[in-house]
Amino acid sequence: MLQNQKIEPRTLQGFDDRHGAEMIVRNHVKNVWEDIFQNFGYSAIETPSLEYSEILTGKYGEEEKLIYHFEDHGGRRVALRYDQTVPFARYLTQHRNLIVLPFKRYEISRVWRADAARKGRRREFYQCDIDIAGTDSMMADSEILQVLYAGFMKLGFAEHKILLNHRKLVSGFIQSLNISQEQAIEVYRAIDKFDKVGQEGVKKELLDRGIQSQFIPKILEFISLDGDNNQVMLSTLADLVKGNELGELGLSELKEIIEICAFAGIPSQNIQISPRLVRGLDYYTGAIFEVVVDGFPGSLAGGGRYDGLCGRFSNEEIHAVGVAVGFEPLCMLMTEKKMGPKNTAPADLFLVLFNNEMKKDVLHLAQNFRTKGLRVQVSYEASKLGKQFEKANKLGIPQVVILGPDEKARGVYVVKNMETGEQKEEKIPV
Amino acid sequence: MLQNQKIEPRTLQGFDDRHGAEMIVRNHVKNVWEDIFQNFGYSAIETPSLEYSEILTGKYGEEEKLIYHFEDHGGRRVALRYDQTVPFARYLTQHRNLIVLPFKRYEISRVWRADAARKGRRREFYQCDIDIAGTDSMMADSEILQVLYAGFMKLGFAEHKILLNHRKLVSGFIQSLNISQEQAIEVYRAIDKFDKVGQEGVKKELLDRGIQSQFIPKILEFISLDGDNNQVMLSTLADLVKGNELGELGLSELKEIIEICAFAGIPSQNIQISPRLVRGLDYYTGAIFEVVVDGFPGSLAGGGRYDGLCGRFSNEEIHAVGVAVGFEPLCMLMTEKKMGPKNTAPADLFLVLFNNEMKKDVLHLAQNFRTKGLRVQVSYEASKLGKQFEKANKLGIPQVVILGPDEKARGVYVVKNMETGEQKEEKIPV
């Protein structure tokens, strides 16, 4: 070992150290979702970070190139997971005999994508997922939206909108234009770029992808449909897919989901049908949805029904619907808008050490505060008091506790409020 | 995509799916430690799963071969982290200008080691770490032991023992035998195998590693020292290192740590000096410790002072002391001994759906229970009631709630205790 040769301390591009106030926000967001998930009766599961490469390939469409693959010590082709959904489908089929269906699970953990790194797009990030497997009931699709509504309300996004669409509705519409199934996937991918490139951009994408120009005005009309009134939107869409079995099925499921959401108390202004929402991933088959808020580009959650995914691993088809909350954009937005917890200090109290003879008394007092649930730091050095106060101040700890020989003789300690400078005495507990 | 070609759903050897009661125990253990860490004023940080390979190499002695290295999309040599300590040292030096010292952090996350997989030794597992950087005060070393004591007590291990030793004490002793510094590291590694191979095994290891036979009886005598009375042990050790500066320094630090732990209320029977404890990792420089409990082979936590580690990344030396709680053995042991939470059901209540006309009322009632903090599942199907009860039973949900048209007419719902069969009526809240 060449101990004197210094290694430059640095992180890989797209990978982050996180600390301080940022971690306080992250833990807050994580705890809110975890509470809500448990509140709705979801169970925690964990799947490994590494999977056999073959488990992940062929599931993510054009994004598949972003998967980190490598060869392990035993010569196996392995891959870091790209999301938590494909591993969940693998999990379901692998442990099928142990699982009571319908099965509701949540998972909040890291995923990896070798994407072009920039602000808001990192190579390692958290996903925050729930899924319901084993039912095709629209009660399940609606429950996912109820969970989203509950979580975003709890986090302070009263104005959030759940955008809702249905793959079968879009497929039915495309089918009714007599576009082939192979071409349909190209239409999806073009529409998926709407938010980035706008209507003109989609038009160009459609042409580039070989869609015949006669279809394009109708497609553009469909994806331009917009409106706050879901009932009006439903009847407009009903006209567009009239007579197409697939489209009508999709529409009736959409209707049912919206009805159940209303039963569950989601205000209609928080749900909006959006025909141009398609979501890029290959595996969706039914309802699809995203959560957006004004002033933030991109979505804060995205998901849908993927009834075909488990069939990649097993002959038994298992219906499934789920959502991934965009943990990273959500934390970023809440940090920027200062929507996180106000108290970001590492402790509530800082106990100074007047001199080394006071160690026992100070440590005893610290333990007493801790049993009351307070977060307590104790000074490690009996340095000058001013220096110890400065330390507490730098850390933003709101209160400092002084217990010196004089205080001890009087059976008290002093609490100093670091913001106001106010001091008060309290009795030392026995 | 060959959708019809099934991929066998399987996990890599040494990597685990976790669910059900196991996850309940894991979350419980995680929450207990997180609460204790925050109680002692530690801040959460996160470092990436992937680091430049050069950050990790040369830090782990013989274990280094277990690191997962690979080349990323940009041709960089990268590695999955082997522990959380080396990345923490990298973090400290990289962000030195942002950090107020002493700095206390915790991190509970995954690490990877390409080890021979077997029960209790997995290739992916959680570590649960705290570290204090920027002080050489024995108050810090002692605080780590206070945190361990608090956590293991909270988890129900009243009889746990913190084994304590000091690298300088052992080094001083070896020095006093006139063993060279190069050979000393071989002595450490031999002693480290004591728990696996016993005294005779260590003797053989020492010979194999080229230690001259005249030293061996003295080394064996040293590592056989054992005893519950720390004061007796301290004076025995004082005789053994008398006149050796390094050994005496180590011993005086040990004494101070033990004294401060007593001040902080750790009973003396929970701390035991163990001269044969050396811990394999290259980077320890001062106090070292492990937590053991009767009837469990191996340790439930391990750590120590590593004042030299940051010097690998920077010219500034930053003192540091920390511990990794053995999250995995701890969860395994608690699961086996049924020491985890009793209630392992995914929900407290299961609301049956009498018929589809009752959806609105049932969903409304569910939301009401949830706002009271109850964990609630709602049936997705208005199937036969018996089938719905069976579902709740299979999931172990203790209470089922029935709200059918008759109940609604009377303004009540029925709660059935699934264990006793007892039923009672409650008023529907407005």
Side-chain angles (χ1 to χ4, degrees), chain B residues 269-331:
Chain B
Q269 68 266 24
N270 288 99
I271 297 193
Q272 187 177 314
I273 298 172
S274 175
R276 64 174 165 264
L277 177 72
V278 292
R279 298 192 52 73
L281 294 175
D282 280 5
Y283 51 64
Y284 291 118
T285 56
I288 43 179
F289 31 83
E290 281 186 6
V291 174
V292 294
V293 296
D294 270 353
F296 185 79
S299 65
L300 293 177
R305 180 166 279 281
Y306 51 100
D307 285 341
L309 188 55
C310 290
R312 309 282 184 93
F313 300 111
S314 151
N315 288 318
E316 182 193 14
E317 193 41 76
I318 303 174
H319 300 288
V321 58
V323 74
V325 173
F327 185 80
E328 302 293 344
L330 188 52
C331 291

Side-chain angles (χ1 to χ4, degrees), chain A residues 353-360 380-382, chain B residues 137 139 256 263:
Chain A
L353 191 56
F354 189 88
N355 62 33
N356 281 319
E357 283 62 51
M358 293 306 298
K359 269 180 195 165
K360 184 172 183 174
Y380 298 131
E381 307 278 352
Chain B
S137 164
M139 284 283 279
E256 198 183 339
F263 288 165

Side-chain angles (χ1 to χ4, degrees), chain B residues 57-73:
Chain B
T57 48
K59 316 291 189 305
Y60 301 109
E62 293 178 329
E63 302 293 286
E64 184 172 316
K65 61 182 185 291
L66 305 181
I67 298 174
Y68 283 95
H69 294 280
F70 64 96
E71 205 164 90
D72 77 0
H73 292 59

Side-chain angles (χ1 to χ4, degrees), chain A residues 257-307:
Chain A
I257 293 168
I258 287 171
E259 184 189 48
I260 298 170
C261 285
F263 288 166
I266 305 184
S268 67
Q269 68 266 25
N270 288 99
I271 297 193
Q272 187 177 314
I273 298 173
S274 175
R276 64 173 164 267
L277 177 73
V278 292
R279 299 192 52 72
L281 294 175
D282 280 5
Y283 51 63
Y284 291 117
T285 56
I288 43 180
F289 31 83
E290 282 187 5
V291 174
V292 294
V293 296
D294 269 353
F296 184 79
S299 65
L300 293 178
R305 180 166 280 281
Y306 51 100
D307 285 341

Side-chain angles (χ1 to χ4, degrees), chain B residues 237-252:
Chain B
L237 289 166
D239 291 342
L240 281 173
V241 295
K242 202 177 185 83
N244 178 282
E245 206 182 331
L246 196 63
E248 286 182 344
L249 175 61
L251 194 66
S252 79

Side-chain angles (χ1 to χ4, degrees), chain B residues 355-368:
Chain B
N355 63 32
N356 281 319
E357 284 62 50
M358 292 306 298
K359 269 180 194 165
K360 185 173 182 174
D361 300 279
V362 168
L363 287 169
H364 191 79
L365 186 59
Q367 269 314 98
N368 195 281

